[in-house]
Amino acid sequence: MIPDARSASGHVDTFARQHLPPREQWPELLFELPELRYPDRLNCAAELLDHANGARPALYGVRGTWTYAELREKVDRIAHVLRGPLGLVPGNRVLLRGANTPMMAAAILAVFKAGCIAVPTMPLLRARELGTIMARAQVDAVLCAGDLCAELDLLPDCPRTVRFGGDGTQGLEALMAAQPAAFSPCDTAADDVCLIGFTSGTTGVPKGTMHFHRDILAICDCFPKHTLRAQPDDLFIGTPPLAFTFGLGGLLLFPLRIGAAGVLLEKLTPETLLGAIERHRATVCFTAPTFYRQMATLAPRYDLSSLARTVSAGEALPLATRTAWQQATGLRMIDGIGATEMLHIFISAAGDDIRPGATGKPVPGYRACILDDAGRPAGPGTIGRLAVKGPTGCRYLADERQKDYVIDGWNVTGDAYEMDADGYFIYRSRVDDMIISAGYNIAGPEVEDALLRHPAVAECGVIGRPDVERGQIVEAHVVLRPGHEPSPAFTAQLQEFVKREIAPYKYPRSIVYAQALPRTETGKLQRFRLRTQAAKDGA
Ligand code: 3UK
């Protein structure tokens, strides 16, 4: 299809097309790879489910396994519930709330198949945050896991809500039982919106990113196909919530696209994830760098021989964590940078292409460059803003911030990166997190990486603390491993250690000890919370 042409929408409710940014504010889209030339009419859930071998396993959960035939039947019955008893029409928004379970996955796919728009939300969100999302996406109905309904009850005008995950005698399961087992997919356009993914929003009002049916397939046909190179007999496992596009892709869409299977488990810890890998004999794991760091220490107690590939994303992978993981498991980590705006990973490397210290190269289907201060593409060796384009890209739901993310057709992610002479992209820091101390630019992650090489350091986060003399000073927030105690002498020892690892002017002049670091549900360190704390302490 011609990327700019729009075939007739399958939506009856035209909310999505009305709230897309104006076309001139979209990023440029690339469909150069032959596998990205999708037909004009496309329903991604039908593509993922309706051609599969029904006898093969699709999803594993604590309550058992669903084959592709079983998953498809659940999805079809839920789609009937949405369009029948719930009275929804194509284009309506359905908010989904639940932990990672096969039923949550089926509900998301059913929304796609019914031609509605899924608005998945993280389990830890509170009523106020849910209310904001409901208002922004003008949600028409809610599907909520029974154990997470309390927050919704606090909302004065929550749309019609159906609960799922009970004993099957009430709620969604009871409605499903009364519906036909097969649903013919809504005839949607490839560029009809099917997903509004809200950013985990470290600051400000969350942004809704709008994605099309073809985007769902495009992410499956880029990173997993060309970089991960997963196969039908792979078994995917990991922690990111399905409401985070890292998890939606890695644990659900990617396996389904190739007829493989995914394990969906809730409330995973490093220990229970390791146990689940061993029990299920999982082959592909998706999680955040901090999880791998903690798992590396525990790995010798588990049989992880089934694991063939592990993917790290969500934040920068410290070299120390890459090394620890490889020493513990023999596996070379596939680091990949993705973003909710881009839907999934767009720079990565696997196997012999991995260069420790670099994220990798643009995933086939994507292009990337570094923009200098003047906004022009810079050559190797310049630290600047990372810019990317590909088949997917940023389209915020009615949001002024579209103009900040898309510049001259490039998606500008807010990350400071550098490209080397071989075209590898090296992460430095978030643009806003760059520390400027006495005129020096210091990237916090580099100091973190040095600290993480000290055997007593479990976790750390490095920020700039306001300072009269130097503007900012480097401050490290450190969690020690069991058996180590903070003391002034130990602080001096850590500082000396860093000075030996990296240029001495980068050493943390202040070290604060903590029991844990503030993180989002997606595993990201909340540096702004460390900074507010530093500002408070200073006042
Ligand atoms: C940071 C990384 C360095 C980076 C995501 C994979 O994280 C995801 O989406 P978000 O919208 O955040 C995007 C931002 O997170 N980041 C992510 N991965 C890396 N920084 N190295 C990495 N490997 O600042 C980026 O701009 O929450 C990740 C797939 C889907 C996703 N949504």
Side-chain angles (χ1 to χ4, degrees), residues 156-341:
D157 33 38
C158 182
R160 174 135 187 225
T161 300
V162 179
R163 300 170 183 228
F164 63 83
D167 59 7
T169 62
Q170 47 184 351
L172 184 58
E173 286 82 355
L175 292 170
M176 287 163 69
Q179 295 298 321
F183 179 89
S184 51
C186 179
D187 175 26
T188 39
D191 61 355
D192 272 330
V193 172
C194 66
L195 173 73
I196 303 179
F198 277 87
T199 56
S200 33
T202 43
T203 45
V205 186
K207 292 166 271 193
T209 64
M210 304 171 92
H211 303 285
F212 301 150
H213 281 269
R214 67 159 190 247
D215 299 340
I216 298 288
L217 299 184
I219 57 165
C220 298
D221 297 338
C222 290
F223 169 75
K225 182 169 187 208
H226 294 277
T227 309
L228 183 64
R229 299 206 194 110
Q231 299 297 322
D233 52 5
D234 271 313
L235 182 58
F236 293 63
I237 199 167
T239 62
L242 292 174
F244 180 29
T245 63
F246 181 34
L248 183 69
L251 304 179
L252 181 63
L253 307 174
F254 296 173
L256 295 188
R257 182 64 169 160
I258 54 169
V263 185
L264 293 174
L265 298 170
E266 37 186 314
K267 303 195 180 86
L268 286 168
T269 64
E271 287 87 352
T272 58
L273 176 54
L274 287 164
I277 292 169
E278 175 178 279
R279 207 166 55 246
H280 289 278
R281 297 209 53 76
T283 62
V284 179
C285 179
F286 282 76
T287 187
T290 48
F291 242 78
Y292 286 115
R293 183 163 176 87
Q294 296 173 68
M295 292 203 299
T297 316
L298 306 163
R301 296 185 220 155
Y302 297 84
D303 171 8
L304 304 178
S305 56
S306 60
L307 265 189
R309 276 167 288 238
T310 55
V311 180
S312 168
E315 62 179 359
L317 174 68
L319 196 52
T321 301
R322 173 187 284 288
T323 311
W325 182 246
Q326 188 165 347
Q327 279 170 355
T329 63
L331 294 167
R332 284 186 290 177
M333 188 76 79
I334 303 175
D335 185 9
I337 177 171
T340 309
E341 288 82 352

